[in-house]
C-alpha cells in the first residue's frame, strides 16, 4: 500500500533547473566535443611501443621489449574489438539491448585479455614478467589519461 504525504510549502520549493535551448546545447557540444575511443587505443599502442623501447634499452634484452609490447597489446587489441562491437548498430536498439551489448562486449574484452596474458609464456620466448606487467599497466592507465586530457587538445593534433 502506498500513500502520499502532503507536500508542505517548504518542501515544494521551486527548482533551479532550466532546460537548455537548442543554441545553448549546440554551444555546449562545440565547447566539449566527444572524444573518439580510437584515440585511447592509439595511445595504448603508442605507449606500448614506448615501454618496449625503454625495456629494451634498460635490460638490453629483446625478450623484455617483446614482453612489454605484448602486455600493452593484450589490453589494446581487446579494447579495439570492444569499441567495434559496441559501436556497431547503435541507432535502432532499445536501451536494455544497448546495455546488454555493452556488458557482453565488456566480458569478451576481459576474457580475451586474460586469455592473451595466459598464453604469453607459450608465445614469447624469454618472457620478462615485469616488462609484460609494465606494458599492461601503462596501457590500462591510458583510460585515466583520456579522462584528464581535454578532447579539444586532441582534436588540434
Amino acid at each position: 500500500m502506498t500513500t502520499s504525504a502532503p507536500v508542505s510549502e517548504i518542501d515544494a520549493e521551486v527548482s533551479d533547473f532550466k532546460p537548455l535551448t537548442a543554441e545553448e546545447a549546440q554551444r555546449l557540444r562545440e565547447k566539449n566535443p566527444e572524444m573518439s575511443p580510437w584515440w585511447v587505443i592509439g595511445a595504448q599502442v603508442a605507449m606500448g611501443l614506448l615501454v618496449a623501447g625503454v625495456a629494451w634499452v634498460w635490460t638490453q634484452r629483446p625478450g623484455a621489449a617483446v614482453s612489454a609490447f605484448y602486455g600493452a597489446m593484450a589490453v589494446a587489441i581487446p579494447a579495439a574489438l570492444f569499441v567495434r562491437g559496441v559501436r556497431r548498430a547503435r541507432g535502432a536498439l532499445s536501451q536494455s539491448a544497448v546495455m546488454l551489448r555493452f556488458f557482453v562486449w565488456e566480458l569478451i574484452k576481459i576474457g580475451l585479455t586474460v586469455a592473451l596474458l595466459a598464453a604469453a609464456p607459450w608465445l614469447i620466448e624469454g618472457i620478462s614478467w615485469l616488462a609484460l606487467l609494465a606494458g599492461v599497466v601503462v596501457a590500462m592507465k591510458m583510460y585515466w589519461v583520456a579522462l584528464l586530457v581535454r578532447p579539444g587538445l586532441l582534436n588540434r593534433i
Side-chain angles (χ1 to χ4, degrees):
M1 180 170 136
T2 60
T3 60
S4 298
V7 178
S8 67
E9 288 181 30
I10 296 172
D11 292 337
E13 189 174 304
V14 176
S15 174
D16 290 338
F17 177 75
K18 181 185 134 210
L20 296 176
T21 64
E23 295 86 24
E24 291 172 330
Q26 182 62 31
R27 273 185 276 149
L28 184 63
R29 280 189 213 101
E30 289 169 359
K31 184 179 175 185
N32 300 305
E34 181 181 331
M35 178 185 282
S36 171
W38 297 109
W39 277 104
V40 178
I41 294 166
Q44 288 175 332
V45 172
M47 291 306 292
L49 287 169
L50 180 67
V51 170
V54 168
W56 195 346
V57 168
W58 192 355
T59 64
Q60 299 296 316
R61 291 183 31 226
V66 171
S67 297
F69 187 67
Y70 183 87
M73 291 305 97
V75 174
I77 291 169
L81 289 173
F82 169 80
V83 169
R84 185 177 180 277
V86 168
R87 289 194 145 204
R88 194 179 51 184
R90 285 196 280 181
L93 299 175
S94 68
Q95 287 180 354
S96 58
V98 169
M99 288 305 297
L100 179 64
R101 176 180 292 237
F102 178 86
F103 285 118
V104 166
W105 278 104
E106 183 66 22
L107 284 173
I108 291 169
K109 181 177 91 167
I110 292 169
L112 185 56
T113 299
V114 170
L116 286 170
L117 292 174
W122 292 280
L123 297 174
I124 303 172
E125 188 174 325
I127 190 168
S128 170
W129 288 103
L130 187 59
L132 183 111
L133 181 63
V136 169
V137 168
V138 166
M140 294 204 46
K141 291 300 175 187
M142 289 302 103
Y143 294 120
W144 286 98
V145 170
L147 289 174
L148 297 175
V149 173
R150 299 293 306 163
L153 175 67
L154 291 178
N155 288 337
R156 288 185 221 129
I157 295 176

